[in-house]
Amino acid sequence: MFRRWVAGSLSIVHLHVLSILESDAPLPMGKLAEALDVSIASATGIVDRMEQRGLVERGQQADDRRVVLVQPTVAGLAVFSDLDQNRRAGVARLLERMTDAELAALLKGLRAMSAARAAEHGKLGDHGKHCRPAR
């Protein structure tokens, strides 16, 4: 699936749709259109193309058959696991090339970034550790 994405058969719009559906599926077509900030007609066209590629499927809401629900297929969800596996493999290759000292420095920097992010989001409050390295 990752190779298909890289080769251009999956657009950024398709990835956006899949990311929305990954967390909120199944979604009515109208809600999906709203999330994409497009008309229902445009969302229908996007879903048509994705359905042809086996990335999503449509169904009907049980209590109102007029409502078309969209959800990702197993292949659609596999896009993210494939991307994640390829990303992890790439990072692993880079880490294997680093020395122990470089890895320790990277870990220190990542911890500082994590603390800065937490402070930015108010998790550490006013008494959080100062994250800037001493000069």
Side-chain angles (χ1 to χ4, degrees), residues 90-133:
V91 169
R93 285 191 301 274
L94 294 175
L95 294 175
E96 288 170 357
R97 299 179 65 92
M98 297 173 72
T99 66
D100 287 345
E102 290 168 334
L103 289 169
L106 175 63
L107 181 59
K108 183 177 180 180
L110 290 172
R111 285 180 175 156
M113 286 181 65
S114 179
R117 181 177 182 270
E120 180 72 21
H121 293 288
K123 292 181 181 171
L124 291 180
D126 294 335
H127 299 20
K129 288 176 65 177
H130 186 57
C131 299
R132 285 207 164 160

Side-chain angles (χ1 to χ4, degrees), residues 3-113:
R3 294 191 197 291
R4 281 182 38 195
W5 177 67
V6 171
S9 68
L10 289 176
S11 70
I12 296 298
V13 172
H14 293 166
L15 288 173
H16 188 199
V17 169
L18 289 171
S19 70
I20 292 166
L21 294 175
E22 182 185 34
S23 61
D24 293 326
L27 267 184
M29 186 70 74
K31 294 277 188 196
L32 179 60
E34 186 179 309
L36 294 170
D37 196 25
V38 299
S39 69
I40 292 177
S42 292
T44 299
I46 293 166
V47 169
D48 284 344
R49 290 183 291 282
M50 293 181 71
E51 193 171 36
Q52 290 169 358
R53 290 181 171 94
L55 300 171
V56 298
E57 59 189 12
R58 290 180 236 221
Q60 294 176 328
Q61 190 166 306
D63 60 347
D64 186 349
R65 297 189 56 163
R66 296 171 297 174
V67 177
V68 175
L69 297 174
V70 183
Q71 65 184 21
T73 61
V74 171
L77 291 174
V79 168
F80 295 107
S81 61
D82 290 351
L83 288 172
D84 187 52
Q85 286 175 350
N86 280 279
R87 180 188 53 81
R88 287 175 182 266
V91 169
R93 285 191 301 274
L94 294 175
L95 294 175
E96 288 170 357
R97 299 179 65 92
M98 297 173 72
T99 66
D100 287 345
E102 290 168 334
L103 289 169
L106 175 63
L107 181 59
K108 183 177 180 180
L110 290 172
R111 285 180 175 156
M113 286 181 65

